[in-house]
C-alpha cells in the first residue's frame, strides 16, 4: 500500500490516482530518481534530496542500492559495493514503444558531488531519449547539465537505444557496453582511459600499464572542467546478430571480469530472468572485493 | 536593500508515529550600507480630540505632536488627523519641509477637544492619505483615551479589513478609560503594538520613541513565506519576539503548499523570532523530511524578492533520548506564551472576583517570568501581586492596585524576553 500525499488515504501500490481526492499518486513503477514515498518525479526532488511534494528525503539506502525491473528480460541494478561510503553510480532504463533505453553513469570520485553528476547526466540523457531526441544531442545536453552542478563534479556515461534489432551506443569514459551471447561475445565500447592510450601508442604493454596507479584514469568525461574534446562521445551502431544480451555496466563490475567471454560465462551460468542475473553480477563483484560502486543493466534480445 | 538572515533552531528528532514539528526561526535584518537608499516614508499621526480628551490630555497630545513634527526628517512625508465622531484632516500629506512643519504646527495648535469617538472615520481618512504614497514605508500612530462608540463597531471592523496591508499602526491609550481589547484588535490587524501611556505628561516621550522606531524602518511589505509538504498542516505561526503576535489566521495560501504571513516593515539591525508548529504525515524510523521551508519575501513595485531562507526538518527515531529533548528556544518561547496566558487569565479572574484562580495564575506567571529572566514582566507583576517566593510562584494579590498598573501588565503581557545566554 502507499499513501496519498494530499489526503493521506491508503491506496494500492498500482493505483495512479487517489480514490478519495483524485490526487496523482505517482507512477507505480517508481522509476529510479522518483520520490519513493509519494512517487513524484525526479524534477520534484531538490538538490539535497528532499521531495517538494511530500517533503520526505530520498532515503540514503535507495541511492546506495536500487533495482529497476522493466520486464523479465530487461532490468538494472546499482550497488555501493563494499569499500566506498557512497554510491556514485547511477542508471536509468525503460522501454518506450518498441525502443529500449539504457543509461549508465559513474560519478568520478576525485571530485565532490560525484553522485550528483552521475544522476544529473543519467537523468538528462534518459529524458531526452524518451523524447526521441538523437543520442549525441542528448549527451551534449547532459554535458551542460553536469557543468552547472555546483562543486564541479564529473561523470562517465554509456547510453544505448535499441530499436528494430539495432543498437545505437554512445560512451564517454570507461563505463562499458557488451554484446553477450553463447558465442562471439564482445566489448562494444572502447574505454577512454589512460591505459588504452599508452598501450595503443605503444608506450607500454598492457601488463606494464596495469601496474600504474593511473591505469584506470579516464581521459574523457562530462563535467564543468571538460573541454568539448574531453566530453566528446564515441558513437557505435551495432546490429543485433541473434539471441543474446546487451550488458551496460560500470567498472565496479568489469574490473573483476577479464574479458567478454568470461562475462558470457558468468551470465550464462544460469537460465533466469534479467533481474536475477544482474543481482548475481553484483554479488559476484562484491565477493571479489567490491572495491568500487557496481552497476549492471541487462537487456535480453 | 536590507539584507535578511534567517536561522532555525529545533530538535529535528520526532518519535515514531508522531508528526508535530516545532521550530523557532530567528530573522535579522542586517546593515544596509552601500546597498541603496531606502524608499520614501510617510508617517500619519491620528489623535483623538473627542470631548473626553479636553484639558491636560489634549494639551499634552498637542505638545507631543508639535515635538514630533519638528523631529521629522525633511525628506519624510506626514499628515495629521484629529478624530472625534468625525475625522478632521488637520494636515494633509505633505513633505516635512520647514515651511510645511510651521504650517502644521499652527494647525495642531488650533485643535479643540469636542464630540464622540468613531475610530472608523479616523482610519477612513488615514487610508486616503496613505494611498497617495502607496509605494512608501507607511506607518501611523493612533492615540485615544476612551472607548469607541458601540454603533461604530461594525463600521470599524469593515474599515480594518480595508486598511489591512495598506499601512501599519501603533496604538496608544492614555489614562485608563480605554479598552485594551479594542486597541489590540486594531494594532494587531495593522501589524503594530498597543500600549498604555499612564499619564498625559508621558505622551511626548512615548511619541518620540515611536517616531525613532518608525524612522529606522527601511523596507516595508515583507512577508514570511512558509512552504510545507503536501497534506501537512500549519498548526500555528507566531511571532514570539519581541512580542507575541499570532499570525496563523493571517496566513494567505499563495500556492497549494505555501502560506504567506505579513510581517510589515523592518528596520536596520532589527531581529524577531517566530515559532512554527507544523503537523506532518509521520514517517518511519530513519526517514528524514523537509517539514517546512521559511523564507522572507520582499515585494517592491510588484516584484517579489526572496531575502532569506531556512529549513525545518524532521527525522524519525526510536531513540527516546533524542526525540524527548526539547530545543531550548522552543521551550523558552512555549514558556513565554504560557506566561502571557497566565497573566491574562489571572487578571480576568481577578476582575470577576475569583481570587483563588487569580492567585494561582499570577503566581505561575511570576514563576515563569523568573525562570525565563523576563525582568520587565516581573516588574509589572510586582505592582499587582506581593511576591513571597518567585521560584515556587507563591504570591498574594495586592489590595489596592492602580487600574493603570493592571492595564500595563495586561497590555505588555505579550512582550517576551529572549533566551538567556548560557542559561
Amino acid at each position: 500500500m502507499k499513501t496519498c500525499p494530499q489526503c493521506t488515504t491508503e491506496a494500492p501500490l498500482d493505483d495512479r490516482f487517489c480514490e478519495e481526492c483524485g490526487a496523482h499518486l505517482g507512477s507505480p513503477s517508481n522509476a529510479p530518481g522518483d520520490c519513493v514515498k509519494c512517487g513524484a518525479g525526479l524534477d520534484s526532488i531538490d538538490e539535497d534530496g528532499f521531495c517538494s511534494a511530500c517533503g520526505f528525503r530520498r532515503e540514503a539506502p535507495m541511492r546506495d542500492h536500487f533495482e529497476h525491473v522493466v520486464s523479465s528480460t530487461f532490468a538494472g541494478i546499482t550497488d555501493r559495493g563494499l569499500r566506498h561510503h557512497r554510491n556514485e553510480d547511477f542508471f536509468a532504463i525503460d522501454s518506450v514503444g518498441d525502443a529500449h533505453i539504457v543509461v549508465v553513469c559513474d560519478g568520478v570520485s576525485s571530485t565532490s558531488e560525484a553522485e550528483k553528476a552521475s544522476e544529473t547526466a543519467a537523468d538528462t540523457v534518459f529524458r531526452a531519449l524518451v523524447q526521441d531526441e538523437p543520442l549525441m544531442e542528448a549527451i551534449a545536453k547532459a554535458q551542460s547539465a553536469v557543468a552547472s552542478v555546483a562543486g564541479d563534479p564529473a561523470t562517465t556515461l554509456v547510453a544505448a537505444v535499441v530499436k528494430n534489432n539495432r543498437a545505437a551506443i554512445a560512451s564517454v569514459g570507461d563505463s562499458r557496453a557488451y554484446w553477450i551471447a553463447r558465442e562471439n561475445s564482445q566489448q562494444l565500447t572502447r574505454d577512454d582511459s589512460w591505459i588504452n592510450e599508452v598501450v595503443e601508442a605503444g608506450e607500454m604493454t598492457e601488463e606494464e600499464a596495469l601496474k600504474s596507479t593511473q591505469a584506470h584514469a579516464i581521459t574523457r568525461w562530462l563535467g564543468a572542467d571538460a573541454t568539448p574534446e574531453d566530453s566528446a562521445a564515441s558513437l557505435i551502431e551495432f546490429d543485433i546478430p541473434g539471441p543474446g544480451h546487451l550488458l551496460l555496466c560500470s567498472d565496479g563490475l568489469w574490473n573483476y571480469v577479464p574479458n567478454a567471454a568470461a562475462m558470457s560465462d558468468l551470465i550464462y551460468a544460469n537460465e533466469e530472468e534479467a533481474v536475477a542475473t544482474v543481482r548475481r553480477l553484483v554479488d559476484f563483484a562484491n565477493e571479489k572485493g567490491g572495491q568500487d560502486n557496481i552497476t549492471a543493466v541487462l537487456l535480453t534480445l | 536593500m536590507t539584507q535578511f538572515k534567517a536561522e532555525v533552531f529545533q530538535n529535528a528528532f520526532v518519535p515514531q508515529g508522531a508528526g508535530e514539528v516545532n521550530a523557532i526561526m530567528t530573522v535579522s535584518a542586517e546593515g544596509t550600507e552601500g546597498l541603496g537608499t531606502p524608499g520614501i516614508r510617510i508617517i500619519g499621526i491620528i489623535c483623538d480630540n473627542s470631548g473626553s480628551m479636553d484639558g491636560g490630555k489634549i494639551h499634552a497630545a498637542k505638545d507631543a505632536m508639535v515635538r514630533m513634527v519638528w523631529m521629522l526628517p525633511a525628506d519624510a512625508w506626514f499628515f495629521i488627523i484629529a478624530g472625534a465622531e468625525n475625522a478632521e484632516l488637520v494636515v494633509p500629506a505633505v513633505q516635512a519641509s520647514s515651511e510645511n512643519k510651521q504650517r502644521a504646527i499652527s494647525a495642531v495648535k488650533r485643535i479643540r477637544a469636542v464630540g464622540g469617538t468613531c475610530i472608523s472615520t479616523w482610519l477612513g481618512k488615514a487610508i486616503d492619505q496613505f494611498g497617495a504614497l502607496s509605494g512608501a514605508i507607511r506607518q501611523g500612530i493612533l492615540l485615544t483615551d476612551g472607548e469607541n462608540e458601540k454603533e461604530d463597531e461594525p463600521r470599524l471592523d469593515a474599515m480594518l479589513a480595508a486598511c489591512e496591508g495598506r499601512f501599519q499602526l501603533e496604538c496608544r491609550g492614555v489614562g485608563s478609560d480605554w479598552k485594551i481589547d479594542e486597541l489590540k484588535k486594531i494594532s494587531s490587524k495593522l501589524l503594530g503594538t498597543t500600549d498604555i501611556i499612564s499619564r498625559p505628561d508621558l505622551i511626548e516621550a512615548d511619541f518620540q520613541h515611536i517616531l525613532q522606531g518608525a524612522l529606522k524602518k527601511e523596507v516595508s511589505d515583507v512577508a514570511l513565506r512558509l512552504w510545507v509538504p503536501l497534506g501537512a498542516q500549519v498548526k500555528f505561526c507566531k511571532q514570539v519576539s519581541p512580542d507575541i503576535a499570532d499570525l496563523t489566521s493571517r496566513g494567505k495560501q499563495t500556492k497549494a503548499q505555501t502560506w504567506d504571513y505579513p510581517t510589515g516593515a523592518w528596520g536596520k539591525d532589527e531581529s524577531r523570532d517566530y515559532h512554527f508548529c507544523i503537523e506532518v504525515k509521520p514517517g518511519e524510523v530513519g526517514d528524514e523530511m523537509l517539514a517546512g521551508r521559511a523564507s522572507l519575501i520582499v515585494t517592491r513595485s510588484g516584484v517579489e524578492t526572496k531575502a532569506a531562507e531556512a529549513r525545518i526538518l524532521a527525522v524519525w527515531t526510536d531513540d527516546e533520548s533524542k526525540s524527548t529533548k526539547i530545543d531550548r528556544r522552543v521551550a523558552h518561547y512555549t514558556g513565554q506564551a504560557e506566561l502571557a496566558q497566565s497573566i491574562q487569565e489571572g487578571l480576568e479572574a481577578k476582575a470577576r472576583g475569583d481570587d483563588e484562580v487569580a492567585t494561582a495564575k499570577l503566581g505561575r506567571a511570576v514563576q515563569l517570568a523568573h525562570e525565563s529572566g523576563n525582568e520587565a514582566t516581573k516588574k509589572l507583576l510586582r505592582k499587582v501581586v506581593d511576591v513571597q517566593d518567585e521560584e515556587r510562584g507563591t504570591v498574594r494579590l495586592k489590595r489596592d492596585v492602580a487600574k493603570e498598573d493592571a492595564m500595563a501588565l495586561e497590555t505588555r503581557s505579550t512582550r517576551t524576553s529572549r533566551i538567556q545566554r548560557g542559561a
Side-chain angles (χ1 to χ4, degrees), chain A residues 3-8 37 46-48 50-59, chain B residues 227-232 257 281-284 287-291 293 311 313 316:
Chain A
T3 308
C4 171
Q6 188 160 298
C7 69
T8 71
K37 287 287 184 181
D46 76 10
E47 55 185 21
D48 291 318
F50 289 109
C51 172
S52 64
C54 71
F56 278 106
R57 188 176 215 160
R58 165 179 298 147
E59 292 162 277
Chain B
W227 172 97
V228 293
L230 270 177
Q257 293 172 257
K281 175 184 169 257
E284 285 154 33
D287 277 347
E288 208 178 325
M289 180 194 261
L290 183 62
R293 195 170 48 217
R311 293 175 149 196
L313 302 177
W316 280 268

Side-chain angles (χ1 to χ4, degrees), chain A residues 41-83:
Chain A
L42 185 60
D43 53 0
S44 299
I45 312 286
D46 76 10
E47 55 185 21
D48 291 318
F50 289 109
C51 172
S52 64
C54 71
F56 278 106
R57 188 176 215 160
R58 165 179 298 147
E59 292 162 277
M62 154 84 183
R63 188 68 173 80
D64 277 2
H65 177 103
F66 65 82
E67 296 175 359
H68 186 199
V69 181
V70 178
S71 68
S72 59
T73 57
F74 189 13
I77 190 167
T78 184
D79 189 84
R80 183 167 55 91
L82 302 177
R83 294 304 182 89

